[in-house]
Amino acid sequence: MAKRDEKAITPQSEDYSQWYQDIVLRAELADYSPVKGCMVIRPNGYALWENLQKALDGMFKATGHVNAYFPLFIPMSFLSKEAEHVEGFAKECAVVTHHRLGASPDGGVCPDPDSELEEPLIVRPTSETIIYAMYSKWIKSYRDLPVLLNQWANVVRWEMRTRLFLRTTEFLWQEGHTAHATHEESWAEVLRMLDVYARFAEEWMAVPVLKGVKSESEKFAGALKTTCIEAMMQDGKALQAGTSHDLGQNFAKAFDVKFQDEKGEWQYCWQTSWGVSTRLIGALVMAHSDDQGLVVPPKMAATHAVIVPIYKDEAGRARVMEAAAALKARLSAAGLGVVLDDRDTVSPGFKYNEWEMKGVPVRLEIGPRDVEQGACVAVPRVATRALREGERRQKESLPLEGAPEALKALLDDLQSALFRRALAFREDHSYRIDDYEAFQRDIEKGGFFWAHWCGSSACEDRVKEETKATIRCIPFDGEKEPGKCLACGGESDRRVVWARAY
RNA sequence: CGGGGCGUGGCGCAGCCUGGUAGCGCACCUGCUUUGGGAGCAGGGAGUCGGAGGUUCAAAUCCUCUCGCCCCGACCA
């Protein structure tokens, strides 16, 4: 028995943030890079991103969107065309001022002073400005509308403090940008895409989310309204998992995005933008994983099952390996991602731990006893049912014949079990609260607090200052209910969700 | 930018207080025995101690400066 402390990750209960870091590093999702604040997304992490892209991109296409690509660099002056927007992003923009290196006096290289750009370029923190500059060129008539574009890209925001996946200086994301003839239509688009995000989060990532509107102080710089989906992590903190903005005509006016309507009159377009980022990978990790390591919902997993062969001697090994290879072939042919761990250098127990660390949804054990019975043992990463008397882990016997169907059924069970578990966790950590003192005390434990709010930023600011909690959203499906503002006692007609957030 | 911590074989650390020329665990390589929950034994390879300067006969260790990274906080997806 090896020393556990060295191999085990930091328990969640001991240090949540260290636990998260351990998972990301040990499951090889990402690693720190030589560039401060920038991470390397390793193959295991990138595979999650690819699956996310595949699923979301399909949903975008199904709602009529098409992909395009706009430049990484944006003329500095573009950013200042929309007053709120520049204020929101100015502090975190990387600026390109030169286009050439030259020899530096100390023997290294430095920007060649003769190569200074006439107008500095910024590295996009988001692409509203450059995309809408193009829209003003492309859109002339109501017949050109709606424009429904999306781009998959990297963006840079020079944040002071970074955290793997959750906040890095450079990150990958998707940004949708649409233009419409009427506000009614653009608002419908905002809600439609928020719905796409919510569906993706819940059905693919198995992460339940609240849909709602951001308060004034939390909304996107330059938007009329920001809607969002909010998820709860296992430490009770909220994480914004996606946003969809109603930009109104703010950018259309700044970038002259106009069209002639049926009557020949010039109108400004109504625009939306919406995005999700690699941050969702962080959400995935924090929503499902445990002290054994990463937990990946089957629909997000590139590898659905790992086969671990077990044998005692050479003869047994040959028999088992033959059956294992046949099993792998059968599962692969059915479209499942399968790895056969045929390493002879580590023990089965070691493999169990290693694959659990990496979050593979199901382990298939196959040994001499199983081969004899024409079966294998399936162990889901997280139990899909209550454990029986004396059962330490859920183990199901799967027939080798018909293994694909049986495995798919188990994967479906696991997918819904993960969602149910996450939803139950959120419900267990959601509270209706009316007393500010109780709130100040209870917020320390984390969770979502449904409380009344009068609607003033002053109250929001005060609560934030005193408790570090913010309004995560004003939920769409919150019922009307008269009450008193948590902070000032003023009139309120519905509850909003307060929480500490990432 | 404030507070804290850390830089020593690939990884995690000890050694530093009280200077004497580098050690442990994991990983790696070889061999034998093992294999249904992180295997055992034996042997082996691998480090100009983040960098610069200083003190000293002698610096991982003491002094000064510097660079980098991580964590916590303010800002944010």
Short mmCIF file of all heavy atoms in Angstrom, two decimals, chain B residues 40-57:
data_model
loop_
_atom_site.label_atom_id
_atom_site.label_comp_id
_atom_site.label_asym_id
_atom_site.label_seq_id
_atom_site.Cartn_x
_atom_site.Cartn_y
_atom_site.Cartn_z
P G B 40 5.17 -1.57 -2.69
OP1 G B 40 5.10 -0.93 -1.36
OP2 G B 40 5.62 -0.81 -3.88
"O5'" G B 40 6.06 -2.89 -2.58
"C5'" G B 40 5.86 -3.79 -1.51
"C4'" G B 40 6.79 -4.96 -1.65
"O4'" G B 40 6.48 -5.68 -2.87
"C3'" G B 40 8.27 -4.62 -1.81
"O3'" G B 40 8.88 -4.33 -0.57
"C2'" G B 40 8.82 -5.88 -2.46
"O2'" G B 40 8.99 -6.92 -1.51
"C1'" G B 40 7.66 -6.26 -3.40
N9 G B 40 7.88 -5.77 -4.76
C8 G B 40 7.37 -4.65 -5.35
N7 G B 40 7.75 -4.51 -6.60
C5 G B 40 8.55 -5.61 -6.85
C6 G B 40 9.23 -6.00 -8.03
O6 G B 40 9.28 -5.45 -9.12
N1 G B 40 9.94 -7.19 -7.84
C2 G B 40 9.97 -7.90 -6.67
N2 G B 40 10.70 -9.02 -6.68
N3 G B 40 9.34 -7.55 -5.56
C4 G B 40 8.64 -6.40 -5.73
P C B 41 10.13 -3.33 -0.50
OP1 C B 41 10.37 -3.02 0.93
OP2 C B 41 9.93 -2.24 -1.48
"O5'" C B 41 11.32 -4.26 -1.03
"C5'" C B 41 11.70 -5.42 -0.31
"C4'" C B 41 12.64 -6.26 -1.13
"O4'" C B 41 11.97 -6.71 -2.33
"C3'" C B 41 13.86 -5.54 -1.67
"O3'" C B 41 14.88 -5.39 -0.69
"C2'" C B 41 14.28 -6.46 -2.81
"O2'" C B 41 14.93 -7.61 -2.34
"C1'" C B 41 12.91 -6.85 -3.38
N1 C B 41 12.50 -5.99 -4.51
C2 C B 41 12.97 -6.33 -5.79
O2 C B 41 13.69 -7.33 -5.94
N3 C B 41 12.61 -5.55 -6.85
C4 C B 41 11.84 -4.49 -6.66
N4 C B 41 11.52 -3.77 -7.73
C5 C B 41 11.36 -4.12 -5.37
C6 C B 41 11.71 -4.90 -4.32
P A B 42 15.85 -4.08 -0.74
OP1 A B 42 16.65 -4.07 0.51
OP2 A B 42 15.07 -2.90 -1.13
"O5'" A B 42 16.82 -4.47 -1.96
"C5'" A B 42 17.67 -5.60 -1.86
"C4'" A B 42 18.32 -5.88 -3.19
"O4'" A B 42 17.32 -6.25 -4.16
"C3'" A B 42 19.01 -4.68 -3.83
"O3'" A B 42 20.29 -4.40 -3.28
"C2'" A B 42 19.09 -5.13 -5.29
"O2'" A B 42 20.11 -6.09 -5.49
"C1'" A B 42 17.73 -5.81 -5.46
N9 A B 42 16.73 -4.85 -5.99
C8 A B 42 15.80 -4.12 -5.30
N7 A B 42 15.07 -3.34 -6.07
C5 A B 42 15.56 -3.58 -7.35
C6 A B 42 15.22 -3.07 -8.61
N6 A B 42 14.26 -2.17 -8.82
N1 A B 42 15.91 -3.51 -9.69
C2 A B 42 16.88 -4.41 -9.50
N3 A B 42 17.29 -4.98 -8.35
C4 A B 42 16.59 -4.51 -7.31
P G B 43 20.81 -2.88 -3.21
OP1 G B 43 22.07 -2.90 -2.43
OP2 G B 43 19.69 -2.00 -2.81
"O5'" G B 43 21.13 -2.59 -4.74
"C5'" G B 43 22.25 -3.22 -5.36
"C4'" G B 43 22.20 -3.04 -6.85
"O4'" G B 43 20.91 -3.46 -7.35
"C3'" G B 43 22.30 -1.60 -7.36
"O3'" G B 43 23.63 -1.08 -7.34
"C2'" G B 43 21.76 -1.76 -8.78
"O2'" G B 43 22.70 -2.39 -9.63
"C1'" G B 43 20.59 -2.71 -8.53
N9 G B 43 19.36 -1.93 -8.30
C8 G B 43 18.69 -1.69 -7.12
N7 G B 43 17.64 -0.93 -7.28
C5 G B 43 17.62 -0.65 -8.65
C6 G B 43 16.73 0.13 -9.42
O6 G B 43 15.72 0.75 -9.05
N1 G B 43 17.08 0.16 -10.76
C2 G B 43 18.17 -0.49 -11.29
N2 G B 43 18.37 -0.36 -12.60
N3 G B 43 19.02 -1.23 -10.59
C4 G B 43 18.68 -1.26 -9.28
P G B 44 23.84 0.50 -7.14
OP1 G B 44 25.29 0.74 -7.05
OP2 G B 44 22.95 0.97 -6.05
"O5'" G B 44 23.29 1.09 -8.51
"C5'" G B 44 23.97 0.79 -9.73
"C4'" G B 44 23.23 1.39 -10.90
"O4'" G B 44 21.85 0.96 -10.88
"C3'" G B 44 23.14 2.90 -10.93
"O3'" G B 44 24.33 3.51 -11.39
"C2'" G B 44 21.97 3.11 -11.89
"O2'" G B 44 22.37 2.94 -13.24
"C1'" G B 44 21.05 1.95 -11.50
N9 G B 44 19.98 2.38 -10.57
C8 G B 44 19.87 2.09 -9.22
N7 G B 44 18.79 2.61 -8.69
C5 G B 44 18.16 3.27 -9.74
C6 G B 44 16.96 4.02 -9.77
O6 G B 44 16.17 4.25 -8.85
N1 G B 44 16.69 4.53 -11.04
C2 G B 44 17.50 4.32 -12.14
N2 G B 44 17.09 4.89 -13.28
N3 G B 44 18.62 3.63 -12.13
C4 G B 44 18.88 3.14 -10.91
P G B 45 24.70 4.99 -10.95
OP1 G B 45 26.13 5.20 -11.21
OP2 G B 45 24.15 5.25 -9.60
"O5'" G B 45 23.88 5.85 -12.01
"C5'" G B 45 24.17 5.74 -13.40
"C4'" G B 45 23.16 6.53 -14.20
"O4'" G B 45 21.84 5.97 -13.99
"C3'" G B 45 23.00 7.99 -13.77
"O3'" G B 45 23.98 8.81 -14.36
"C2'" G B 45 21.60 8.31 -14.27
"O2'" G B 45 21.59 8.54 -15.67
"C1'" G B 45 20.87 7.00 -13.99
N9 G B 45 20.20 7.01 -12.68
C8 G B 45 20.66 6.48 -11.49
N7 G B 45 19.82 6.65 -10.50
C5 G B 45 18.75 7.34 -11.06
C6 G B 45 17.55 7.80 -10.47
O6 G B 45 17.17 7.68 -9.30
N1 G B 45 16.75 8.45 -11.40
C2 G B 45 17.06 8.64 -12.72
N2 G B 45 16.18 9.29 -13.46
N3 G B 45 18.18 8.21 -13.29
C4 G B 45 18.97 7.57 -12.41
P A B 46 24.63 9.97 -13.45
OP1 A B 46 25.75 10.54 -14.22
OP2 A B 46 24.85 9.46 -12.08
"O5'" A B 46 23.45 11.04 -13.42
"C5'" A B 46 22.99 11.65 -14.64
"C4'" A B 46 21.65 12.28 -14.42
"O4'" A B 46 20.73 11.30 -13.89
"C3'" A B 46 21.62 13.41 -13.37
"O3'" A B 46 22.04 14.63 -13.93
"C2'" A B 46 20.14 13.42 -12.99
"O2'" A B 46 19.38 14.10 -13.94
"C1'" A B 46 19.80 11.93 -13.04
N9 A B 46 19.85 11.31 -11.71
C8 A B 46 20.91 10.71 -11.08
N7 A B 46 20.64 10.24 -9.89
C5 A B 46 19.30 10.56 -9.72
C6 A B 46 18.40 10.35 -8.66
N6 A B 46 18.74 9.74 -7.52
N1 A B 46 17.14 10.80 -8.80
C2 A B 46 16.80 11.42 -9.95
N3 A B 46 17.56 11.68 -11.02
C4 A B 46 18.80 11.22 -10.84
P G B 47 23.18 15.48 -13.23
OP1 G B 47 23.86 16.24 -14.29
OP2 G B 47 23.92 14.59 -12.32
"O5'" G B 47 22.37 16.50 -12.33
"C5'" G B 47 21.31 17.30 -12.90
"C4'" G B 47 20.82 18.27 -11.88
"O4'" G B 47 20.40 17.54 -10.70
"C3'" G B 47 21.86 19.26 -11.35
"O3'" G B 47 21.95 20.38 -12.20
"C2'" G B 47 21.29 19.64 -9.99
"O2'" G B 47 20.30 20.64 -10.11
"C1'" G B 47 20.60 18.33 -9.55
N9 G B 47 21.38 17.57 -8.57
C8 G B 47 22.65 17.09 -8.66
N7 G B 47 23.03 16.42 -7.60
C5 G B 47 21.94 16.48 -6.75
C6 G B 47 21.76 15.95 -5.45
O6 G B 47 22.53 15.30 -4.76
N1 G B 47 20.48 16.26 -4.96
C2 G B 47 19.52 16.97 -5.64
N2 G B 47 18.37 17.15 -5.01
N3 G B 47 19.69 17.46 -6.85
C4 G B 47 20.92 17.18 -7.33
P U B 48 23.40 20.80 -12.72
OP1 U B 48 23.30 21.96 -13.62
OP2 U B 48 23.99 19.56 -13.18
"O5'" U B 48 24.17 21.19 -11.39
"C5'" U B 48 23.89 22.30 -10.65
"C4'" U B 48 25.16 23.11 -10.50
"O4'" U B 48 25.82 23.27 -11.77
"C3'" U B 48 24.90 24.53 -10.03
"O3'" U B 48 24.70 24.60 -8.63
"C2'" U B 48 26.18 25.23 -10.46
"O2'" U B 48 27.24 24.95 -9.59
"C1'" U B 48 26.44 24.55 -11.81
N1 U B 48 25.84 25.33 -12.92
C2 U B 48 26.69 25.99 -13.78
O2 U B 48 27.90 25.93 -13.68
N3 U B 48 26.07 26.71 -14.77
C4 U B 48 24.73 26.85 -14.98
O4 U B 48 24.34 27.53 -15.91
C5 U B 48 23.91 26.15 -14.05
C6 U B 48 24.47 25.44 -13.07
P C B 49 24.03 25.79 -7.94
OP1 C B 49 23.81 26.91 -8.87
OP2 C B 49 24.86 25.97 -6.76
"O5'" C B 49 22.62 25.24 -7.45
"C5'" C B 49 21.42 25.57 -8.14
"C4'" C B 49 20.26 25.33 -7.22
"O4'" C B 49 20.56 24.19 -6.38
"C3'" C B 49 19.96 26.48 -6.27
"O3'" C B 49 18.56 26.57 -6.12
"C2'" C B 49 20.63 26.07 -4.98
"O2'" C B 49 19.98 26.57 -3.83
"C1'" C B 49 20.46 24.55 -5.02
N1 C B 49 21.51 23.81 -4.28
C2 C B 49 21.15 23.21 -3.06
O2 C B 49 19.98 23.33 -2.66
N3 C B 49 22.08 22.52 -2.38
C4 C B 49 23.31 22.41 -2.85
N4 C B 49 24.20 21.71 -2.16
C5 C B 49 23.70 23.01 -4.08
C6 C B 49 22.78 23.70 -4.76
P G B 50 17.75 27.88 -5.77
OP1 G B 50 18.48 28.86 -4.97
OP2 G B 50 16.58 27.16 -5.23
"O5'" G B 50 17.35 28.60 -7.13
"C5'" G B 50 17.15 27.85 -8.31
"C4'" G B 50 16.91 28.78 -9.46
"O4'" G B 50 15.72 29.56 -9.20
"C3'" G B 50 18.00 29.83 -9.69
"O3'" G B 50 19.08 29.32 -10.45
"C2'" G B 50 17.24 30.92 -10.44
"O2'" G B 50 17.06 30.57 -11.79
"C1'" G B 50 15.89 30.87 -9.72
N9 G B 50 15.81 31.82 -8.61
C8 G B 50 15.59 31.54 -7.29
N7 G B 50 15.59 32.60 -6.52
C5 G B 50 15.81 33.65 -7.40
C6 G B 50 15.90 35.05 -7.16
O6 G B 50 15.81 35.64 -6.09
N1 G B 50 16.13 35.75 -8.32
C2 G B 50 16.27 35.19 -9.56
N2 G B 50 16.50 36.04 -10.57
N3 G B 50 16.19 33.89 -9.81
C4 G B 50 15.95 33.19 -8.69
P G B 51 20.57 29.78 -10.11
OP1 G B 51 21.47 28.96 -10.94
OP2 G B 51 20.72 29.80 -8.65
"O5'" G B 51 20.60 31.27 -10.64
"C5'" G B 51 20.48 31.55 -12.03
"C4'" G B 51 20.47 33.04 -12.26
"O4'" G B 51 19.32 33.62 -11.60
"C3'" G B 51 21.65 33.80 -11.67
"O3'" G B 51 22.80 33.74 -12.49
"C2'" G B 51 21.09 35.21 -11.56
"O2'" G B 51 21.07 35.86 -12.82
"C1'" G B 51 19.65 34.92 -11.13
N9 G B 51 19.50 34.94 -9.68
C8 G B 51 19.30 33.88 -8.83
N7 G B 51 19.19 34.22 -7.58
C5 G B 51 19.32 35.60 -7.59
C6 G B 51 19.29 36.55 -6.52
O6 G B 51 19.13 36.34 -5.32
N1 G B 51 19.47 37.84 -6.98
C2 G B 51 19.66 38.20 -8.30
N2 G B 51 19.82 39.50 -8.54
N3 G B 51 19.69 37.33 -9.30
C4 G B 51 19.51 36.07 -8.88
P A B 52 24.22 33.84 -11.82
OP1 A B 52 25.20 33.55 -12.88
OP2 A B 52 24.22 33.03 -10.58
"O5'" A B 52 24.31 35.38 -11.43
"C5'" A B 52 24.34 36.38 -12.44
"C4'" A B 52 24.38 37.75 -11.82
"O4'" A B 52 23.16 37.97 -11.07
"C3'" A B 52 25.49 37.98 -10.79
"O3'" A B 52 26.75 38.26 -11.39
"C2'" A B 52 24.93 39.16 -10.01
"O2'" A B 52 25.07 40.37 -10.73
"C1'" A B 52 23.45 38.79 -9.94
N9 A B 52 23.14 38.03 -8.71
C8 A B 52 23.00 36.68 -8.56
N7 A B 52 22.72 36.31 -7.32
C5 A B 52 22.67 37.51 -6.62
C6 A B 52 22.43 37.81 -5.26
N6 A B 52 22.17 36.90 -4.35
N1 A B 52 22.46 39.12 -4.89
C2 A B 52 22.72 40.05 -5.83
N3 A B 52 22.98 39.88 -7.13
C4 A B 52 22.93 38.58 -7.47
P G B 53 28.04 37.81 -10.61
OP1 G B 53 29.18 38.12 -11.50
OP2 G B 53 27.88 36.43 -10.10
"O5'" G B 53 28.07 38.81 -9.37
"C5'" G B 53 28.45 40.17 -9.56
"C4'" G B 53 28.11 40.98 -8.34
"O4'" G B 53 26.75 40.70 -7.92
"C3'" G B 53 28.91 40.69 -7.08
"O3'" G B 53 30.21 41.24 -7.11
"C2'" G B 53 28.02 41.32 -6.03
"O2'" G B 53 28.10 42.73 -6.04
"C1'" G B 53 26.63 40.89 -6.52
N9 G B 53 26.25 39.62 -5.87
C8 G B 53 26.20 38.36 -6.42
N7 G B 53 25.83 37.44 -5.56
C5 G B 53 25.61 38.14 -4.38
C6 G B 53 25.20 37.70 -3.10
O6 G B 53 24.92 36.54 -2.73
N1 G B 53 25.12 38.75 -2.19
C2 G B 53 25.39 40.06 -2.48
N2 G B 53 25.26 40.93 -1.48
N3 G B 53 25.78 40.49 -3.67
C4 G B 53 25.86 39.49 -4.57
P G B 54 31.37 40.42 -6.37
OP1 G B 54 32.64 41.13 -6.67
OP2 G B 54 31.23 38.99 -6.69
"O5'" G B 54 31.01 40.63 -4.83
"C5'" G B 54 31.09 41.93 -4.26
"C4'" G B 54 30.48 41.93 -2.89
"O4'" G B 54 29.19 41.29 -2.91
"C3'" G B 54 31.23 41.14 -1.82
"O3'" G B 54 32.36 41.83 -1.33
"C2'" G B 54 30.14 40.98 -0.76
"O2'" G B 54 29.95 42.17 -0.02
"C1'" G B 54 28.90 40.74 -1.64
N9 G B 54 28.59 39.31 -1.77
C8 G B 54 28.71 38.52 -2.88
N7 G B 54 28.36 37.27 -2.66
C5 G B 54 27.98 37.26 -1.33
C6 G B 54 27.49 36.19 -0.53
O6 G B 54 27.30 35.01 -0.84
N1 G B 54 27.23 36.61 0.78
C2 G B 54 27.41 37.89 1.24
N2 G B 54 27.11 38.10 2.53
N3 G B 54 27.86 38.90 0.50
C4 G B 54 28.12 38.51 -0.76
P U B 55 33.61 41.00 -0.83
OP1 U B 55 34.71 41.96 -0.55
OP2 U B 55 33.82 39.87 -1.76
"O5'" U B 55 33.11 40.41 0.56
"C5'" U B 55 32.81 41.27 1.65
"C4'" U B 55 32.36 40.46 2.85
"O4'" U B 55 31.10 39.81 2.54
"C3'" U B 55 33.29 39.31 3.23
"O3'" U B 55 34.39 39.75 4.02
"C2'" U B 55 32.35 38.39 4.00
"O2'" U B 55 32.14 38.86 5.31
"C1'" U B 55 31.06 38.55 3.20
N1 U B 55 30.91 37.50 2.16
C2 U B 55 30.40 36.27 2.55
O2 U B 55 30.08 36.03 3.70
N3 U B 55 30.29 35.34 1.55
C4 U B 55 30.63 35.49 0.23
O4 U B 55 30.47 34.55 -0.55
C5 U B 55 31.15 36.79 -0.10
C6 U B 55 31.27 37.72 0.84
P U B 56 35.87 39.30 3.61
OP1 U B 56 36.79 39.97 4.54
OP2 U B 56 36.03 39.45 2.13
"O5'" U B 56 35.84 37.74 3.94
"C5'" U B 56 35.63 37.30 5.27
"C4'" U B 56 35.46 35.80 5.29
"O4'" U B 56 34.24 35.46 4.57
"C3'" U B 56 36.53 35.00 4.55
"O3'" U B 56 37.69 34.83 5.34
"C2'" U B 56 35.80 33.69 4.28
"O2'" U B 56 35.76 32.88 5.43
"C1'" U B 56 34.38 34.19 3.97
N1 U B 56 34.15 34.31 2.51
C2 U B 56 33.59 33.22 1.86
O2 U B 56 33.30 32.19 2.44
N3 U B 56 33.42 33.38 0.51
C4 U B 56 33.71 34.49 -0.24
O4 U B 56 33.49 34.48 -1.45
C5 U B 56 34.28 35.59 0.50
C6 U B 56 34.47 35.47 1.82
P C B 57 39.10 34.95 4.60
OP1 C B 57 40.10 35.05 5.69
OP2 C B 57 39.03 36.00 3.55
"O5'" C B 57 39.27 33.54 3.88
"C5'" C B 57 40.26 33.38 2.88
"C4'" C B 57 40.25 31.95 2.39
"O4'" C B 57 40.62 31.06 3.49
"C3'" C B 57 38.90 31.43 1.95
"O3'" C B 57 38.62 31.78 0.61
"C2'" C B 57 39.05 29.92 2.12
"O2'" C B 57 39.77 29.33 1.06
"C1'" C B 57 39.89 29.86 3.40
N1 C B 57 39.07 29.72 4.62
C2 C B 57 38.46 28.47 4.88
O2 C B 57 38.62 27.56 4.07
N3 C B 57 37.73 28.31 6.00
C4 C B 57 37.58 29.34 6.85
N4 C B 57 36.85 29.14 7.94
C5 C B 57 38.19 30.61 6.61
C6 C B 57 38.92 30.75 5.50
#
